[in-house]
Amino acid sequence: MTLLVTGGAGFIGSNFVLDWLRQSDEKIINLDALTYAGNLENLASLQGDARHVFVQGDVCDRALIDKLLAEHRPRAIVHFAAESHVDRSISGPGAFMRTNIEGTYTLLEAARAYWNPLPEADKAAFRFHHVSTDEVYGSLAKDDPAFAETKTYEPNSPYSASKAASDHLVRAWHHTYGLPVLTTNCSNNYGPYHFPEKLIPLMIVNALAGKALPVYGDGQQIRDWLYVTDHASAIRAVLAGGKPGEVYNVGGWNEKANIDIVKTVCALLDELRPDPAGPYARLITYVTDRPGHDRRYAIDARKIERELGWRPAETFDTGIRKTVQWYLDHPDWVQHVQSGSYRDWVSKQYGA
Ligand code: NAD
Ligand code: TYD
């Protein structure tokens, strides 16, 4: 049996592929365009492993997807490929509309054409798993209940609007065509191979370089944080036992204000790699807030827990310690991703 994974060279996709092949011999065809966020170094440990076939290509390329489906006959598609960074979606939304909306549409149409003529048993077993985000639900006030699967969609950024659109397409392909889809809406992930444009890895690499730690606005925005391999285990659980057409919210019951995340990272670095110049928290710098910045996200994960028995294995304390240690242990990975295009982004976003 075979899975077609899209975006499997990115942060969550590569963690999913590595995690999958640690536990299963089921082959993975990994389709990824290798944008700035895709990195084959994440998958270096799979070199020479016949269970992993990497294909560089675009999820908007229908002919390529048709060819891959015909050749490899997967029993499921797990769709991670996306433009994923809110700040980039604010400065340049076009790529988000193309990859996140048109790409998902292209994949759904290719999946439908492949799935329709399958023999009945294969058709019933096939799954299209769409990996989405809690950001589609919008922003919560301090005392609002956490996002349940029934929460109305109120996306506020170009990124979340494009993901919301893709979620709607996935839903429609189930209701209209019967395609057996599954959708997971997960909270903020963190862990190894996280590109240092996002909060946690940016803070780690900036602190180690003695650079400012830019906290947007008052730093009191709240996110729910989940260790990335717990997201991988949730996807495995939903793929195995989720009901076609259903949505499952995935989260870590771990709401934290941004400033507390930054202080935790600083405290761990003070312990693991003390800086003779003084505590890392001295580098914290409040900067202009993100336009339209969502105040709070929180996930009600009771459905996936109740129906599929999924639970996160890591607490925030264990996960963040592993994450900081991983960055300390992988200076080469960090150095390689800080290419010219990364430096261009940092100077555009944060100025001098
Ligand atoms: P990422 O930006 O690290 O990786 C995205 C991957 O998709 C990259 O490898 C990139 O090369 C690839 N890609 C981009 N455009 C493509 C295209 N047109 N065709 C083929 N491949 C393309 O993102 P991530 O953080 O790993 O997120 C993966 C998925 O999970 C996304 O769909 C995202 O919306 C969702 N998600 C992310 C988080 C999070 O905290 N990072 C939380 C919930 C859901
Ligand atoms: P991010 O990692 O970009 O994820 P998302 O916007 O998808 O939640 O940001 C997490 C939070 O951290 C968000 O509230 C914005 C904030 N943030 C900063 O304060 N400074 C930064 O430099 C970055 C990248 C994010």
Side-chain angles (χ1 to χ4, degrees):
M1 295 211 291
T2 299
L3 292 186
L4 173 63
V5 168
T6 72
F11 163 49
I12 304 174
S14 62
N15 275 287
F16 174 83
V17 168
L18 293 169
D19 192 65
W20 184 270
L21 294 175
R22 272 195 291 270
Q23 321 199 18
S24 161
D25 282 333
E26 186 171 0
K27 191 170 177 177
I28 287 186
I29 313 303
N30 185 352
L31 171 66
D32 193 299
L34 296 182
T35 68
Y36 79 92
N39 186 354
L40 282 181
E41 260 186 72
N42 302 2
L43 302 161
S45 61
L46 297 176
Q47 230 165 15
D49 189 328
R51 298 172 304 162
H52 178 242
V53 177
F54 182 78
V55 180
Q56 183 170 3
D58 192 325
V59 285
C60 297
D61 183 345
R62 174 68 193 269
L64 174 62
I65 299 165
D66 285 346
K67 181 173 155 286
L68 292 176
L69 291 171
E71 192 178 326
H72 298 285
R73 318 291 304 162
R75 59 132 181 142
I77 297 174
V78 186
H79 178 35
F80 293 94
E83 289 291 338
S84 69
H85 187 35
V86 174
D87 293 322
R88 285 185 192 254
S89 83
I90 294 168
S91 54
F96 290 72
M97 305 306 128
R98 184 179 175 278
T99 289
N100 300 2
I101 305 177
E102 190 190 329
T104 302
Y105 161 69
T106 306
L107 200 59
L108 281 166
E109 275 297 79
R112 183 164 76 93
Y114 163 71
W115 166 78
N116 235 340
L118 287 178
E120 274 318 307
D122 294 349
K123 207 172 165 182
F126 183 79
R127 296 289 182 267
F128 182 105
H129 187 129
H130 179 55
V131 180
S132 193
T133 165
D134 60 357
E135 303 194 24
V136 298
Y137 295 123
S139 184
L140 293 169
K142 197 165 178 289
D143 297 320
D144 285 344
F147 300 133
E149 289 79 1
T150 48
K151 166 77 177 66
T152 48
Y153 271 41
E154 295 178 288
N156 291 319
S157 71
Y159 164 64
S160 56
S162 67
K163 290 297 291 188
S166 68
D167 292 9
H168 291 323
L169 294 176
V170 170
R171 174 187 163 88
W173 260 242
H174 175 70
H175 280 267
T176 303
Y177 303 114
L179 190 70
V181 305
L182 299 160
T183 298
T184 42
N185 292 86
C186 187
S187 59
N188 284 53
N189 286 210
Y190 66 100
Y193 306 115
H194 203 181
F195 194 75
E197 63 183 355
K198 306 278 170 69
L199 179 72
I200 289 178
L202 183 82
M203 296 299 153
I204 300 171
V205 306
N206 276 17
L208 290 173
K211 292 187 182 156
L213 307 180
V215 173
Y216 296 162
D218 64 2
Q220 293 300 330
Q221 301 82 6
I222 291 172
R223 301 287 182 266
D224 172 70
W225 294 92
L226 184 70
Y227 192 68
V228 64
T229 48
D230 281 326
H231 190 185
S233 76
I235 293 170
R236 276 204 316 277
V238 171
L239 200 53
K243 192 162 159 259
E246 291 289 315
V247 173
Y248 298 86
N249 284 356
V250 183
W253 301 106
N254 244 317
E255 286 184 56
K256 303 264 183 219
N258 292 341
I259 187 64
D260 296 330
I261 295 282
V262 176
K263 286 180 177 165
T264 301
V265 166
C266 289
L268 279 166
L269 286 171
D270 287 337
E271 177 195 327
L272 299 168
R273 181 73 55 86
D275 182 348
Y280 288 99
R282 75 186 192 284
L283 300 170
I284 292 175
T285 308
Y286 288 90
V287 300
T288 309
D289 207 353
R290 171 187 281 173
H293 200 171
D294 283 339
R295 198 68 185 162
R296 173 175 167 240
Y297 304 139
I299 281 277
D300 178 343
R302 281 177 296 179
K303 179 176 174 182
I304 186 172
E305 292 175 359
R306 187 178 61 241
E307 295 187 10
L308 301 174
W310 173 83
R311 290 276 186 295
E314 301 290 343
T315 64
F316 188 72
D317 287 350
T318 60
I320 192 70
R321 181 174 283 276
K322 279 189 186 178
T323 303
V324 170
Q325 189 64 58
W326 187 88
Y327 281 85
L328 289 172
D329 293 343
H330 293 83
D332 290 350
W333 184 92
V334 172
Q335 199 206 327
H336 295 166
V337 298
Q338 290 177 312
S339 64
S341 74
Y342 176 77
R343 287 196 295 275
D344 291 347
W345 165 253
V346 169
S347 68
K348 182 175 168 197
Q349 176 70 2
Y350 301 98

